[in-house]
Amino acid sequence: MTTSVDTLNRALERERKRRAHAEQLLEEKSRELFHSYESLEKAHEELKENQKKLVQSEKMASLGILSAGIAHEVNTPIGFVLSNVTTLGEYTPQFSRLYEELKNLLEKLPDDDRQRISRFLEEEEIDFIVEDTGDLVSESLEGVTRVRDIVAGLKTFSHADNDSIEPVDINDVINSTLTLARSEIERAGQLSTDLQDVPALMGNRGKLGQVIMNLVVNASQAICEEKGEILVRSRCVDDEVVIDIQDNGCGMDEETQMKLFTPFFTTKEVGEGTGLGLTITFGIVEEHRGRIEVSSALGEGTTFSVHLPLG
């Protein structure tokens, strides 16, 4: 009887060990499967992020090609329109003087002729037309000049994917960029500039323009009140050129500031931003061996300071 009990106990012990071993194997396999799932999920997220970056990169490349084509096609007609309007503006004072001389001659004409011509001048409002012509030419010249500056800005951005390094007048880049961003800024508030005389720095004109564009657009979108203010300033500090983009918008808390340059981080509504603007900006500044400093407080506005080394 004892032998049978011992045999049964040993069988039960072996079964218990087999089950324990099987449970251990199952637990290990489950753990491996869970880790594999985590790795797969992480890889999937990275793939989606890279896909978004690729799409954005393709968009930027297409935009550059489109901008270059527009700039090329518009540049020639704008050139001769600007030349013609400028020449017309030079002619206008002479026509005005001629008109005044002809009016003086009216007094020497017979009464019938003088009255007939005076009536014509009054009915057709020739005095107003002569006076208004100068203003129309001046406004047209201003408008065409602005279009020319916009085309020049498009040419700058069309070479943003170019890796060429050359001496860059940062104030010229700022002015070209602000011309392109004027409509976005005017919707937000008032723009003021304080561009000091700074030396040229070595860099890529198109990419630096993209940095300024991203920061200026961000500043305009941060404006919470109807009368917002944006200040763009350039200055030279020691061996660096510093560009400040300051706004009196909503500001940011410390937690938001810590995440600013994280890819795909955005405080905008879904569909209004990719979360890549400041990441790209940070990368371009690092590529130029510079740095970005951020100063912000909730309700007090934000200042981005881009430091770029000379030489």
Side-chain angles (χ1 to χ4, degrees):
M1 183 69 177
T2 303
T3 304
S4 299
V5 172
D6 291 342
T7 302
L8 180 60
N9 286 337
R10 285 196 296 271
L12 289 173
E13 181 65 20
R14 285 195 298 271
E15 181 64 23
R16 187 188 64 78
K17 289 182 179 180
R18 280 198 296 267
R19 287 187 178 183
H21 181 64
E23 289 175 357
Q24 182 180 359
L25 289 176
L26 181 60
E27 183 179 353
E28 291 176 355
K29 292 298 180 182
S30 298
R31 192 181 298 111
E32 290 177 4
L33 183 61
F34 178 73
H35 290 324
S36 298
Y37 172 77
E38 283 188 328
S39 300
L40 185 60
E41 187 176 33
K42 182 179 179 181
H44 179 63
E45 290 299 323
E46 290 177 352
L47 182 61
K48 287 200 300 184
E49 289 183 6
N50 290 332
Q51 185 179 23
K52 289 180 181 179
K53 289 182 180 179
L54 181 60
V55 170
Q56 182 68 15
S57 177
E58 288 297 324
K59 286 181 180 178
M60 294 302 296
S62 299
L63 181 60
I65 295 172
L66 181 62
S67 299
I70 293 174
H72 177 73
E73 294 297 329
V74 173
N75 202 41
T76 299
I78 284 298
F80 65 71
V81 171
L82 180 60
S83 176
N84 291 347
V85 174
T86 302
T87 303
L88 185 60
E90 295 171 354
Y91 292 164
T92 301
Q94 301 175 31
F95 285 120
S96 298
R97 289 196 298 269
L98 175 62
Y99 174 65
E100 294 298 325
E101 293 294 333
L102 291 176
K103 284 201 301 183
N104 293 334
L105 291 176
L106 285 178
E107 302 300 327
K108 299 179 181 180
L109 295 176
D111 289 345
D112 291 343
D113 292 335
R114 185 175 66 252
Q115 292 176 6
R116 178 172 55 82
I117 295 177
S118 296
R119 189 165 54 251
F120 170 80
L121 294 178
E122 184 177 353
E123 290 175 352
E124 299 298 330
E125 299 181 328
I126 302 301
D127 285 344
F128 171 76
I129 291 175
V130 171
E131 181 181 352
D132 194 41
T133 299
D135 293 336
L136 292 176
V137 171
S138 177
E139 291 174 3
S140 298
L141 185 60
E142 181 181 349
V144 174
T145 302
R146 182 174 172 183
V147 173
R148 181 198 61 185
D149 294 341
I150 291 173
V151 171
L154 287 175
K155 291 176 68 177
T156 293
F157 277 91
S158 68
H159 294 91
D161 58 345
N162 192 323
D163 292 329
S164 63
I165 301 297
E166 58 187 358
V168 175
D169 181 346
I170 199 65
N171 288 341
D172 185 46
V173 174
I174 291 173
N175 286 325
S176 297
T177 305
L178 294 181
T179 298
L180 287 178
R182 183 184 301 272
S183 60
E184 181 74 21
I185 296 171
E186 288 178 346
R187 284 198 296 267
Q190 182 179 358
L191 171 70
S192 58
T193 58
D194 178 16
L195 306 182
Q196 300 180 11
D197 186 16
V198 298
L201 56 89
M202 297 300 294
N204 182 283
R205 180 184 176 90
K207 291 182 179 180
L208 291 176
Q210 188 174 352
V211 166
I212 297 166
M213 175 66 81
N214 288 344
L215 295 178
V216 168
V217 169
N218 272 7
S220 66
Q221 293 174 344
I223 300 296
C224 304
E225 302 176 357
E226 294 183 359
K227 295 182 179 180
E229 295 180 359
I230 298 174
L231 169 65
V232 180
R233 177 174 54 232
S234 67
R235 52 200 172 97
C236 192
V237 180
D238 298 329
D239 57 349
E240 293 181 330
V241 171
V242 182
I243 308 156
D244 298 316
I245 292 89
Q246 179 180 341
D247 67 72
N248 64 342
C250 301
M252 297 176 287
D253 56 28
E254 292 185 4
E255 183 180 356
T256 301
Q257 293 180 52
M258 293 292 290
K259 300 177 181 178
L260 274 180
F261 303 106
T262 304
F264 305 109
F265 173 77
T266 178
T267 58
K268 301 173 186 175
E269 297 293 332
V270 176
E272 293 185 3
T274 62
L276 289 173
L278 287 178
T279 306
I280 293 172
T281 297
F282 184 83
I284 293 174
V285 173
E286 275 203 330
E287 185 180 335
H288 284 76
R289 294 177 298 151
R291 68 185 191 279
I292 301 181
E293 296 178 353
V294 184
S295 174
S296 184
L298 283 174
E300 299 180 9
T302 301
T303 299
F304 282 89
S305 297
V306 178
H307 295 252
L308 298 170
L310 293 169

